[in-house]
Amino acid sequence: MTGEQRAMTRVADYPESWPVEKSVDRYSGAKAGMRTDWVRMPDGDGGDEVVQRDRLVHPGAVVALALDAEERVLLLRQYRHAVGHQLWELPAGMRDVEGEPPVRTAQRELLEEAGYRAALWHELADFFPSAGFSTERIQVYLARDLTEVPAEEIDFERVHEEADMPAEWVPLDEAAAAVLCGRLHNGATVVGILAAQAAARDGFRTLRPA
């Protein structure tokens, strides 16, 4: 094993949980909540101390990067009130169905938001968008071998922000260029597009199966 290969095996995230002395729920909403934990942490002098940390409690989300036979990416435009923008995004949704596997949620969101099914699914990226204060974890899937589904066969009503979502098919390289020049801002979309462009170099052969 080369030094570079050894470094790659060493540099990998892993789960760990420091002791929590107390937790208080501050707020509970329809999509997320706020909680304060009192965490026992090292103090740098060989001891430890209890430190207060606030965190956003979030169920997580999934994203589907749909890539057609011409290597074009499907983007949907959606209004995002929190940031005051219309954003071009990949089809996505929260993991709000108890016990539903994340890839199944991604398949459902691709169908409901965009009207497509895909025969090939691979895991493209898996990340914490705001690890400093949020439990949210986002898993991005690559969806290929697409079939468009007639609207009358989709049992889902698009309302509110989802009621008017224009769609565009953008070549993958052009989508990556739009990210790098600052025209696209949604975090999961940025991660998904750049990951897909990197994975396309070897024909997606090194991607993990969904």
Side-chain angles (χ1 to χ4, degrees):
M1 182 181 292
T2 67
E4 182 177 344
Q5 288 171 327
R6 282 194 296 272
M8 288 177 64
T9 59
R10 288 197 308 270
V11 181
D13 300 333
Y14 59 91
E16 181 172 309
S17 182
W18 290 358
V20 176
E21 301 291 317
K22 181 176 70 169
S23 291
V24 174
D25 290 326
R26 304 293 189 182
Y27 167 79
S28 180
K31 294 188 175 183
M34 288 298 302
R35 180 177 300 159
T36 301
D37 292 334
W38 281 260
V39 187
R40 187 166 295 280
M41 297 185 178
D43 65 4
D45 294 322
D48 55 28
E49 62 179 318
V50 176
V51 179
Q52 182 176 321
R53 290 289 182 266
D54 296 325
R55 59 185 172 124
L56 175 72
V57 180
H58 191 286
V62 296
V63 180
L65 189 147
L67 196 68
D68 70 5
E70 300 174 51
E71 290 210 344
R72 298 181 304 169
V73 179
L74 177 62
L75 293 175
L76 305 176
R77 196 187 71 201
Q78 186 168 353
Y79 172 67
R80 294 301 189 184
H81 178 71
V83 294
H85 273 69
Q86 291 275 2
L87 299 180
W88 286 98
E89 305 179 358
L90 302 172
M94 292 177 59
R95 295 193 61 192
D96 53 5
V97 176
E98 183 75 25
E100 185 174 65
V103 68
R104 176 68 189 102
T105 309
Q107 292 166 347
R108 180 168 53 80
E109 293 293 342
L110 180 62
L111 177 64
E112 292 174 352
E113 289 196 348
Y116 284 87
R117 289 193 176 99
L120 292 176
W121 289 84
H122 289 85
E123 190 165 347
L124 195 55
D126 182 354
F127 67 102
F128 299 105
S130 302
F133 76 94
S134 173
T135 66
E136 183 180 15
R137 182 174 188 167
I138 298 180
Q139 289 157 282
V140 186
Y141 293 93
L142 175 66
R144 292 181 294 160
D145 195 358
L146 303 171
T147 301
E148 189 170 6
V149 179
E152 60 270 18
E153 295 181 17
I154 302 172
D155 184 21
F156 179 75
E157 182 183 2
R158 298 171 188 161
V159 296
H160 305 139
E161 293 94 337
E162 296 179 343
D164 179 28
M165 293 194 298
E168 290 285 349
W169 287 95
V170 182
L172 180 56
D173 286 342
E174 288 185 19
V179 169
L180 296 177
C181 73
R183 296 195 345 251
L184 298 177
H185 299 87
N186 174 268
T189 299
V190 168
V191 170
I193 287 172
L194 295 184
Q197 187 189 44
R201 293 170 189 159
D202 70 354
F204 307 106
R205 287 191 297 273
T206 56
L207 290 180
R208 295 160 287 174

